[in-house]
Amino acid sequence: MNILSHEICNEIDQWTAKFPKDKKQSAVLAALHIVQNHNDGWLRRELLDAVADYLEIPKMAVYEVASFYSMFDLKETGKYKINVCTNISCLLRGSEGVVKHFEKRLGISLGETTPDGKFTLREVECLAACVNAPVCQVLCKGKGDYQVDLTPEKIDTLLEGLK
Ligand code: FES
C-alpha cells in the first residue's frame, strides 16, 4: 500500500519527469525533501520505504541518501529547526558564544528538542554564508531563512519572533 499522499506523488512525478524513465533514482533527493516537508519535518522508516517503492529503487538506495545528508531528519524534530554553523569562519567569529546563547535561552543542548516540541537545536557544517559569520539557519516545514552576523541580542529577537 502506498502511504504517500496524492499531492506528494504529484510533486515527485514532476521531478521524475525530468529524468529518463530508467533513472528514477535521480529524483531521490527531491523526493525526500518533498516527503519530509509534508511530514512534520522528519522521515520515519515507513516513509523511506514508500519513497523507494514509488521510485522503484532498492530501499538501501534511499536509506544511504537519507542518512548521509544532515538536511534529512530520521527522528522527530521540533517545529523550528535551528541549524547553527560552527565551521571555521563562524568559529572564528564567535559561533561558540552563539551556541551557548541558544542553549541558555532554549534550555537544551545541541542535538536536543525543547520539551514543548517547538525548537530543535543543531550544529551544522558551513552554510556558505561565511561573509556574514556567525550564521544560523531557521527552518519550519522545509522553508526558512538565514540569520546572519548573530549576536545575543539578535538571537533574543529571533526567538521572540518565532511563534
Ligand atoms: S563557516 Fe559558517 S557559514 Fe561558512
Side-chain angles (χ1 to χ4, degrees):
M1 189 187 82
N2 181 9
I3 61 169
L4 302 179
S5 71
H6 190 62
E7 186 183 3
I8 289 174
C9 292
N10 280 343
E11 286 186 45
I12 294 174
D13 290 347
Q14 290 171 26
W15 280 92
T16 54
K18 297 174 195 266
F19 305 107
K21 284 196 183 344
D22 62 338
K23 301 287 183 213
K24 283 187 178 178
Q25 185 165 345
S26 302
V28 67
L29 271 175
L32 288 173
H33 273 298
I34 292 163
V35 173
Q36 179 168 269
N37 293 344
H38 280 274
N39 288 280
D40 298 322
W42 71 287
L43 294 161
R44 56 183 204 278
R45 177 73 169 266
E46 296 77 28
L47 291 171
L48 298 180
D49 292 347
V51 168
D53 291 344
Y54 195 71
L55 294 178
E56 300 172 322
I57 60 177
K59 290 181 172 58
M60 187 54 68
V62 176
Y63 299 163
E64 61 192 14
V65 171
S67 62
F68 179 78
Y69 291 104
S70 62
M71 58 209 178
F72 298 122
D73 285 293
L74 302 180
K75 59 181 188 179
E76 195 165 1
T77 63
K79 177 181 178 186
Y80 295 102
K81 298 178 194 176
I82 300 175
N83 297 326
V84 182
C85 174
T86 56
N87 222 282
I88 188 65
S89 300
C90 289
L91 180 67
L92 292 171
R93 299 265 300 154
S95 64
E96 281 180 336
V98 167
V99 169
K100 281 199 177 89
H101 195 73
F102 270 119
E103 289 180 332
K104 187 172 133 202
R105 282 294 314 264
L106 299 175
I108 56 175
S109 299
L110 282 176
E112 294 180 345
T113 298
T114 53
D116 63 0
K118 191 167 175 188
F119 299 103
T120 295
L121 183 63
R122 299 188 304 195
E123 177 178 39
V124 295
E125 298 298 331
C126 181
L127 289 167
C130 314
V131 69
N132 290 110
V135 173
C136 78
Q137 176 191 44
V138 181
L139 293 172
C140 180
K141 296 183 189 290
K143 296 187 171 51
D145 225 338
Y146 280 21
Q147 303 294 323
V148 300
D149 301 309
L150 289 171
T151 62
E153 295 73 28
K154 280 191 174 181
I155 293 169
D156 291 343
T157 304
L158 167 68
L159 292 177
E160 278 150 27
L162 298 175
K163 301 294 175 208

